[in-house]
Each structure stands twice: as C-alpha cells, then as structure tokens.
Amino acid sequence: MTVSPGATLRDLRERKPLVHQITNYVVMNETANATLALGALPVMAHAREEVEEMTRLAGALVINIGTLSPHWVDAMLAAGKAANAAAVPVVLDPVGAGATTYRTETAKRILDEVDVAVLRGNAGEVATLVGVEAEVRGVESMGVGGEASELARAAARGLGVVASVTGAVDHVSDGDRVLAVANGHALLGAVSGTGCMSSALTGCFLAAKRNEPLEAAAEALAAFGVAGEDAAVDAKGPGSFHVNLYDALAGLDPSTLDGRARISSE
Amino acid sequence: MTVSPGATLRDLRERKPLVHQITNYVVMNETANATLALGALPVMAHAREEVEEMTRLAGALVINIGTLSPHWVDAMLAAGKAANAAAVPVVLDPVGAGATTYRTETAKRILDEVDVAVLRGNAGEVATLVGVEAEVRGVESMGVGGEASELARAAARGLGVVASVTGAVDHVSDGDRVLAVANGHALLGAVSGTGCMSSALTGCFLAAKRNEPLEAAAEALAAFGVAGEDAAVDAKGPGSFHVNLYDALAGLDPSTLDGRARISSE
Amino acid sequence: MTVSPGATLRDLRERKPLVHQITNYVVMNETANATLALGALPVMAHAREEVEEMTRLAGALVINIGTLSPHWVDAMLAAGKAANAAAVPVVLDPVGAGATTYRTETAKRILDEVDVAVLRGNAGEVATLVGVEAEVRGVESMGVGGEASELARAAARGLGVVASVTGAVDHVSDGDRVLAVANGHALLGAVSGTGCMSSALTGCFLAAKRNEPLEAAAEALAAFGVAGEDAAVDAKGPGSFHVNLYDALAGLDPSTLDGRARISSE
C-alpha cells in the first residue's frame, strides 16, 4: 500500500484522463468543473446510443443516480457493463438511496449487474445498501446509528466494493483495511453537489491509480478535503466558498499535498 | 395575520424542512443552493417512479415548468396530487406561460388538477393564466398592461390560489388582502434563475408556515429581496452578484430581518 | 464587410433579441447567464411540443449537442426547420463530434437537414465533420493536424456554412474570406462550457446582424475573448475567472470594444 495523493495528482495532471460521468442534472456543471480544475477531462454523455462507446474512451466511469429515470438507468447499466468489459474502473454514487424505493432498488441493481470499484456515498446511503438501519432524510443531511468505520468495512465486504463513506471524517475500506480521512471543512456541507464532486474526483484518482482503488479513493477525498480547507480561508459563505473551491482544486500543490493529507489506518 | 419573516426563518432553520423541487434544467443547481443557503434541504426528483414517495417526505413541493416535456409534466401532476393527498403545500412557477401554447396549457392543467397553494410568477405569466391581456417576451422580461396589485388579487380569486406576482415591487394576494413587498435589487433581473429561486424559497417558507400561505409567500420574497440588497453591495456585475446572493441568503439574520422587510398591506 | 463588435453589441443591447437555445444539461445555466450578461434574452425549450413555436419568437436559434438523446435530436431538427422557414438564423455547436458515432452522425444529420448559418466548434469537431483527420479526445481538449485557417475555409466550403473554429486563435470563414480573432485567455480552457458560451454569444450577435454571419461570428468571438481578458485580471483560478466572466460580459463597453478586438483578415 502506497498512499500519496501528491504523487497520484501529479500523474493525473500529466496524463489528463478522460472521466465519463453519467450524473444528475443538478451538479453536472459542478462536477465537470471540479474534474477540469483538478486536472482531468470530464465528459458527460447519457444516451443509450453512445454511452458504451464513450465509456471505452475513458479512464474511469462515474455513475451518479441523483436525478434518475428509466432511460438513464438503462444507460447507466449499459455503460457500466461496457466499462467492466474494457477494464475501465467504475465509481457509483447512490445519491438518495434509502429516500425512495426507486433509488434504493436502482442502486442495488447497479451493484448487482455492474462490477463497481468504488461506492462513494454518505453513511445513510451506504447503510441502506448494506442493510444497516439508518435515518435517511433527503440527500443533504443523513445520519446513521452505527460506527462509520465499521459501516465502511461491512459495506465493502457485503457489496464487494471499496466503500468510501464520507462525513465529518471519511472512512474508506476494502473490507479488510480501513483508511480514515480527516480533511475537509464544514462549508462543504453548505453547498449542493459537493458529495457528487467527491465522487467525480474519486473517478479521476481511480483513473490514475486503477490497481489500488482503496488508496485512490482515500487520496481523492484527502485532496478534495484539502481544497475545501483552502477554499474556506477567504469564504464569506457558501457562494464564495463554492467559487473558491474550483480555484483551490486547480491550485492544489502535489509537493505539499501529502504533508497536508490526514489519512490514517484504522 | 402575522407577518414576520425573521420568525419564520428562525423556525425554518431549526426544522430544516425538505423541499421537493421538480424544476427546470437551467436552474436546478441554483435553486438547490439557494434552498440550502437559506437553511432548508432541497431534493430534486422527477421520475414518475419516485415523485409521489419523495413528495410525501417533503415539507413542500415546488413545481417549475421552465424546461418541460411530457414525462416531466406527468411527474409534476402525479407529485402534485400526492402532495395534495398528504397535505404537503404546493408552489407552482409557470415559467414562460404565454410564450408557447404548451407552457400555457400545462400551467393551466396543473392549476386545474392540483390544489396549488401559491402561484409564483411574473406579471406576464400570471396575466396569461388569469386571462388578462399581457405582453410576453421570453422568460426574462415580461411586462403587463394592468396594475400589479389588481392582477395579484384577480389571479388569486380566479385561480383559487395565493398569487405571488414578482416585479420591481412584488404583490401577493389571497384574493382579498394584498401584501406589497418592496425589497430587492435591479441585479436580480440580470441573473438567470432568480425568479425560480424565489419560487424555491417560497416553498421553504411555506413548509415552515403552511397555514398562512399569504404571509409565507410575502415573507419569502422579503427575505430574498433583502438578500439581494446585501448581495448587491460589493457586486461588480451579475457574476459576483450571483455568488454574493448565496452568501447573503446564508447570512440573513432573523433578528434584523423584520426591520428590513418592506412589506405593506394594499 | 463591416466588422464592428462595438456597434453590433450596442445594437444588440438596445434590441435585446430572444435567443432560443437547445443546449446541453451541463452548461444551460452558464449559457443563459452569458446571454443575459451580454445583453440579450435567453430562452431554453427543448420539447417537441413547443420548440417550433418558441423558435419563431426568437432572433436566433442555437443548437448544441453536448448531451444529446433521441427526443432532443428530434426537437433540434424540428426547431432547425422551423427556424429556416421563419428565416431565423441557426448556430450549431457539434460538441464532441468525432468522440462517438452518435455525435458525429447527429451533427451531420443536422447539417444535412437544417440550413445552418454558423457552425461553431473546436478544430477536432469541425475537422471530423468536414472529413479531415483529427485527434479527438473528449470534449475539452481536441487537437487537429491541419492548419486552422485552412480548416475553417474547407469546412465553410464543404458544409455550406460560416465555419467558426475556436482555439488559441479563432478562425472564421465563409469559404472565401477568413477572419482570425486573437482575443481570449488561457483560463477560458479551464472552465467547462466556455465553448458553449461562445456559441450562445454567436447566436446573440447573429440575431443582431443576421445578414453578415461571417462578421457576426467573428465579432462574437472577439467580444467573448475581450471579456475573457478582463475576467482574467483578478482571477485566482478557474472558479473566480468563471464568476468574473459574467461581470466582464456585462461590463463590455461598446465604445472601446472595436479598439480592443484583434480581428484580422487572412
């Protein structure tokens, strides 16, 4: 295991991987700009007619069910299978799983039919998918009774993924090891779509480090968290924080990132 | 009648109601972030498969026809009916009614099949729906021949709603009383989606004060207008104003809001 | 030939043309706000049920295939034909042509069935459509082997359009003359959707100067480039640049724009 967000970021910026995102309407511009600011290339494409071809061009596929509907779910499944066939790693963001039956079942169906490398969600969403009792309320504020570290481990084992459970402290597990990431800032919770951005950036890191999904997922969260810390410095509220976040992602310095990342084994 | 935007805002921030929005592609991120900045929780969901379930979780439903299409209209109607059955108050924003037959007829159909608590639109849109002659040009700049205060009253009576007609001065009526709201700033007209934001915030206030929709609608516009005034202070143009608007919404102070709100009975 | 972005901008701001945009989910808010900041009126409508009626109200139609799907393509074709019948000029932005067969074929089909006034794309996209060999990678970074000036001329001749090929220097051709536009800033490449904005602004200028599409297209790029230069002055990265861009578009001064525009004949 080598955890070095700085090294991965440097590599990612050199290779500029294409990250195919089938994501929700609310955050498309935001995740595209976060991807671009970090140093990768976003592409959004959702038509059944082209998703497989687009996915095969990509370094990673990010599936986000934030505003799902049947045509989109079909495309997500087709893209996921094409990604699997082409060995393109897949990130799933199960936005709102637990809030409605349709979301929960769609997330489960994708996990069932597609080999997902990293599942990135909040505690409520992940708990729903792994069968743990959780309080779910909308998509912005979800709590969970259990312990986040154990939840990540249980989800990874139960679902056969790297589980990346974000919160005040993030927990990433491959079912065996758990990495805790203690970067970030409270203002990240005040902007819609920051969870989705963290999934997009997970795709970017995974594209650059596909054989170490646990490390890639933790590094992505550390990098995003550090950018959040930088963005908060001069923020006057969620609007200016949001703007600063792109500046901060673009300004992330690979040479200092490892020193600032608060990643620890649990 | 008790008009106190400060008290409602304080209550809203404590309860953090979930506000279900079926809105247009152009402004989804913007209305989500405005909702979150104010202190409520936005959720966007438009699939026929889940809208009823999502609406029943919500404190208010906001329907906005800005980029409508048949599947979306079906979902709006289904969600509206579910909201009515569950006593969840409904806000309708008839974006562009009058510009095309499809928009006008869809807005009328929703008003016909759903019990709408508050209709929030500009003078041209509302005039179209109540049958008054109006000049309609696009969705950003619409004028109307009549008197806005009378238009609000006529719309409220004719359509059986609280009519919230926004403009340089806003007029909100339940068909009997009319409240005029004189907050705001010209730059609100220079940013796309501020009308949609005002509808989203109307949903937030309505979730906190469902039994007084007239007051809730006026309070929402006053709060939004005050935020607009604050956002304009350091703005260099529509871009920085837009950013400042989220900071200003988050920074709204319940203890000074009533004093700054310019709400009067007409 | 009269090239005067300042005069066209002044005229456009007086007349405030409605610019109908059938564009992608990623950039809708951005192109709407860029249109509004410049001084025109954006309207987004994509339903087959209303696009023809909406297009007939407009001063220009902008078709952008960035997140296409069959229903949308049907609407683009219907709107394009309605625009032709009503003599409303059409701009096509073939986002990602060359990346997937579906995009390439859709762009070709639109060019075949609709009389497109201006084709605005990057070198890779335009080269694909005119049959020149090109390296295509995603939608953000595309290179091309040939010479951009010759590519623009060849595309204009081969496709029967004004070809507007953007890059570090932009080249606009009607098949005979070529205008090079040397305004802009590297940060425009760091924000998602700036290409789409340039297409939207091309629609604005074309609405104000429909009989001179070559000049209108070049003027639009010069105006956008000058705004990019202004936006870069205080930018700390792509986030603040993006915000400044709207301020700069709104702040464009018609009386100095001609002197700042770097448009030359090639």
Side-chain angles (χ1 to χ4, degrees):
Chain A
M1 163 181 141
T2 317
V3 175
S4 173
T8 310
L9 178 60
R10 189 177 286 116
D11 183 47
L12 180 165
R13 285 183 176 163
E14 263 174 43
R15 293 204 282 145
K16 292 192 170 298
L18 187 68
V19 179
H20 180 194
Q21 305 179 33
I22 307 180
T23 187
N24 70 71
Y25 300 123
V26 188
V27 304
M28 278 195 197
N29 189 270
E30 285 61 35
T31 65
N33 271 318
T35 302
L36 204 53
L38 187 75
L41 294 177
V43 70
M44 271 62 183
H46 68 284
R48 187 68 186 75
E49 284 77 5
E50 67 168 353
V51 285
E52 290 154 297
E53 194 178 350
M54 192 64 92
T55 287
R56 286 193 288 263
L57 299 173
L61 170 66
V62 179
I63 297 174
N64 174 310
I65 66 166
T67 53
L68 75 181
S69 60
H71 283 302
W72 284 67
V73 174
D74 288 348
M76 290 170 184
L77 291 167
K81 289 169 190 174
N84 286 168
V88 173
V90 178
V91 177
L92 174 63
D93 186 335
V95 181
T100 67
T101 307
Y102 186 49
R103 285 175 190 243
T104 306
E105 289 188 349
T106 297
K108 285 183 174 172
R109 190 172 164 208
I110 294 170
L111 285 164
D112 200 44
E113 299 186 25
V114 175
D115 184 6
V116 170
V118 180
L119 176 71
R120 206 295 312 162
N122 61 35
E125 293 158 347
V126 174
T128 291
L129 296 175
V130 76
V132 177
E133 195 69 21
E135 180 212 348
V136 176
R137 187 146 166 280
V139 298
E140 301 291 345
S141 134
M142 302 192 181
V144 63
E147 159 73 52
S149 175
E150 274 320 294
L151 172 62
R153 198 189 313 261
R157 287 187 183 172
L159 303 170
V161 297
V162 167
S164 175
V165 183
T166 50
V169 174
D170 312 315
H171 292 85
V172 186
S173 176
D174 60 5
D176 179 16
R177 292 170 297 160
V178 177
L179 296 177
V181 183
N183 295 99
H185 191 278
L187 275 168
L188 286 165
V191 176
S192 181
T194 51
C196 304
M197 284 186 209
S198 76
S199 297
L201 301 188
T202 299
C204 298
F205 274 77
L206 199 56
K209 196 169 183 165
R210 65 198 303 164
N211 294 324
E212 297 179 86
L214 174 70
E215 290 77 8
E219 289 170 2
L221 297 180
F224 189 52
V226 167
E229 294 163 12
D230 290 344
V233 173
D234 288 324
K236 296 173 189 163
S240 46
F241 175 78
H242 191 176
V243 173
N244 293 351
L245 192 53
Y246 302 110
D247 288 352
L249 283 167
L252 279 175
D253 181 355
S255 71
T256 61
L257 188 54
D258 288 5
R260 302 184 60 194
R262 292 196 289 274
I263 304 175
S264 58
S265 286
E266 294 219 335
Chain B
M1 162 181 143
T2 317
V3 176
S4 173
T8 311
L9 177 61
R10 188 176 288 115
D11 183 48
L12 179 165
R13 284 183 176 161
E14 262 174 44
R15 294 202 281 144
K16 289 191 171 303
L18 187 67
V19 179
H20 179 195
Q21 305 178 31
I22 307 181
T23 187
N24 70 72
Y25 301 123
V26 188
V27 305
M28 277 195 196
N29 189 269
E30 283 63 33
T31 64
N33 271 316
T35 301
L36 205 51
L38 187 74
L41 294 176
V43 69
M44 271 64 182
H46 68 284
R48 188 68 186 77
E49 284 76 6
E50 69 170 352
V51 286
E52 289 154 295
E53 195 177 350
M54 192 65 91
T55 287
R56 286 192 288 263
L57 300 173
L61 169 66
V62 179
I63 298 175
N64 173 311
I65 66 166
T67 54
L68 75 181
S69 60
H71 283 303
W72 283 68
V73 174
D74 287 349
M76 289 170 184
L77 291 167
K81 288 168 190 173
N84 287 167
V88 173
V90 178
V91 177
L92 173 64
D93 185 335
V95 182
T100 68
T101 306
Y102 186 49
R103 286 176 189 241
T104 305
E105 289 187 350
T106 298
K108 285 182 175 173
R109 189 172 166 208
I110 294 170
L111 285 165
D112 199 45
E113 298 186 24
V114 175
D115 184 7
V116 170
V118 180
L119 175 71
R120 204 297 309 160
N122 61 36
E125 293 157 350
V126 174
T128 291
L129 296 175
V130 76
V132 177
E133 194 67 24
E135 181 211 351
V136 177
R137 189 148 166 276
V139 298
E140 300 292 345
S141 135
M142 302 191 183
V144 62
E147 161 70 56
S149 175
E150 275 320 294
L151 173 63
R153 198 189 312 259
R157 286 187 185 173
L159 302 170
V161 297
V162 166
S164 174
V165 184
T166 49
V169 174
D170 311 317
H171 292 86
V172 186
S173 177
D174 60 4
D176 178 18
R177 291 170 299 161
V178 178
L179 296 177
V181 184
N183 293 100
H185 191 278
L187 275 167
L188 286 165
V191 175
S192 180
T194 51
C196 304
M197 285 186 208
S198 75
S199 297
L201 300 189
T202 299
C204 299
F205 274 77
L206 199 55
K209 195 169 183 165
R210 65 197 306 163
N211 293 326
E212 297 179 86
L214 174 72
E215 289 76 9
E219 288 170 2
L221 297 180
F224 189 52
V226 166
E229 293 162 13
D230 289 346
V233 173
D234 288 324
K236 295 172 189 165
S240 46
F241 175 78
H242 191 174
V243 173
N244 293 352
L245 192 54
Y246 302 110
D247 288 352
L249 283 167
L252 279 176
D253 181 354
S255 71
T256 62
L257 188 54
D258 288 4
R260 299 185 61 194
R262 292 195 288 274
I263 304 176
S264 57
S265 285
E266 294 216 336
Chain C
M1 162 180 142
T2 316
V3 176
S4 173
T8 311
L9 178 60
R10 189 176 288 117
D11 182 49
L12 180 166
R13 284 183 176 161
E14 262 174 45
R15 292 202 283 145
K16 293 193 170 299
L18 187 68
V19 179
H20 180 195
Q21 306 179 32
I22 307 180
T23 188
N24 70 72
Y25 301 122
V26 188
V27 304
M28 276 194 200
N29 189 271
E30 284 63 33
T31 64
N33 271 317
T35 301
L36 205 51
L38 186 73
L41 295 177
V43 69
M44 272 63 182
H46 68 284
R48 187 69 185 75
E49 285 75 6
E50 67 169 351
V51 286
E52 290 154 295
E53 193 177 350
M54 192 66 91
T55 287
R56 285 193 287 264
L57 300 173
L61 169 68
V62 179
I63 297 174
N64 174 309
I65 66 166
T67 54
L68 75 182
S69 60
H71 283 304
W72 284 67
V73 174
D74 287 348
M76 290 170 184
L77 290 167
K81 288 170 191 173
N84 287 168
V88 173
V90 178
V91 177
L92 173 63
D93 185 335
V95 182
T100 67
T101 307
Y102 186 48
R103 284 175 191 241
T104 306
E105 290 187 348
T106 297
K108 285 183 175 173
R109 190 173 165 207
I110 294 170
L111 284 165
D112 200 44
E113 299 186 24
V114 175
D115 184 7
V116 171
V118 180
L119 175 71
R120 205 299 309 165
N122 62 33
E125 293 158 348
V126 174
T128 291
L129 295 176
V130 76
V132 177
E133 194 69 22
E135 180 211 350
V136 176
R137 191 150 166 274
V139 298
E140 299 292 346
S141 135
M142 301 190 180
V144 63
E147 160 71 54
S149 174
E150 275 320 295
L151 173 63
R153 197 188 313 261
R157 286 187 184 171
L159 301 170
V161 298
V162 166
S164 175
V165 184
T166 50
V169 174
D170 311 316
H171 292 85
V172 186
S173 177
D174 60 5
D176 179 16
R177 292 170 297 161
V178 178
L179 296 177
V181 183
N183 294 100
H185 191 278
L187 275 167
L188 285 165
V191 176
S192 181
T194 51
C196 304
M197 284 185 210
S198 75
S199 297
L201 300 189
T202 299
C204 298
F205 274 77
L206 199 55
K209 196 170 182 163
R210 64 197 306 165
N211 293 324
E212 298 179 85
L214 174 71
E215 290 76 9
E219 289 169 2
L221 297 180
F224 188 52
V226 166
E229 294 163 13
D230 290 345
V233 173
D234 288 324
K236 295 172 189 163
S240 45
F241 175 78
H242 190 174
V243 173
N244 293 351
L245 192 53
Y246 302 110
D247 288 352
L249 283 167
L252 278 176
D253 181 354
S255 70
T256 61
L257 189 53
D258 289 3
R260 300 184 62 194
R262 291 195 290 274
I263 304 176
S264 57
S265 285
E266 294 218 332

